[in-house]
Amino acid sequence: MADTTAQVPLTEDDGATTVWTSRGGPRRSTRTWRLWSSATIVLAVVLAVLVVPPLVHLDEQAVDLAAKLQPPSWERPFGTDDVGRDLLLRCIYGLRVSLLVGLVAALVATVIGTAVGTAAAVFGGWVDRLVMRFVDAFASVPHLLLGIFIVAMFRPGVWPVVFSVALTHWLSTARIVRSEVLSLRSRPYIDAAVSGGASRRRVAVRHLLPGVLPQAGLAAVLMVPHAIWHESALSFLGLGLPTHQASLGTLVQTARSSLLAGDWWPTLFPGLFVIIPTLAIAGLAGVWREHLNPRRRSELML
């Protein structure tokens, strides 16, 4: 088989040519495979949470004690839980709730972080220093500990978890947006707008915000898996959603006793529903990040 690896001559020393073997081709193939596999999984997840509940007219809360803890079979591919509920249906409903929490929390956190980071960079001076010191102080508290404190002040439910995740995950977005705005402020077209008499508000809205939206969008996508893991951790600790409401965290939490008894499927399948979709979303975000930063991509391909 012919070798298709590109060879590029770099320097000549005493008649000898130094050859640099490029690995760009295999890396591009890996990136393409990662893109399509991640997109396929995300599409399958979206179709499952949107299509399955309306089409399958079954109650995911229906209890059948005669069928409790049945192992996976053709009739029930994921088996049943400790009260006889179909585990596949429960996982799909749980994934829908976890995705709702992750998407809404990521959106709210991105809006807060973008507003704070843009304001700090636009005003600069003591405002910038004060805001960033507040961000550093807020970030010094562990996310999970702060989330537990916030959720404990409300009744268990979806929106307290959304509120908790959003308030603990906007800090990284604020730092990213501030850094990007500071970089944009040195561009010639910003100097031209200021010299032309544009106010700070107009410069921020018309020139700076459109420039940071791709980075803010990437931060939001990267935040979705983190938010899902955060919700699962809170629900596993019994502080997120009520135990009767299906979410991936509550499913894993209620399956602990079954795992100790040797029944592995009530824990395995909800765990896979946490891991696989979040890794797929993170894979799409990684491809997007390489597209936004071609210099980093070229460095990785050397």
Side-chain angles (χ1 to χ4, degrees), residues 14 22 37 45 69 118 122 143 152 180 197 204 217 227 286:
D14 296 334
S22 173
S37 59
V45 167
L69 291 177
T118 303
V122 168
H143 287 176
E180 190 70 16

Side-chain angles (χ1 to χ4, degrees), residues 157-175:
V158 172
W159 297 112
V161 177
V162 171
F163 185 66
S164 168
V165 175
L167 285 185
T168 55
H169 288 75
W170 60 271
L171 307 172
S172 59
T173 304
R175 290 196 178 104

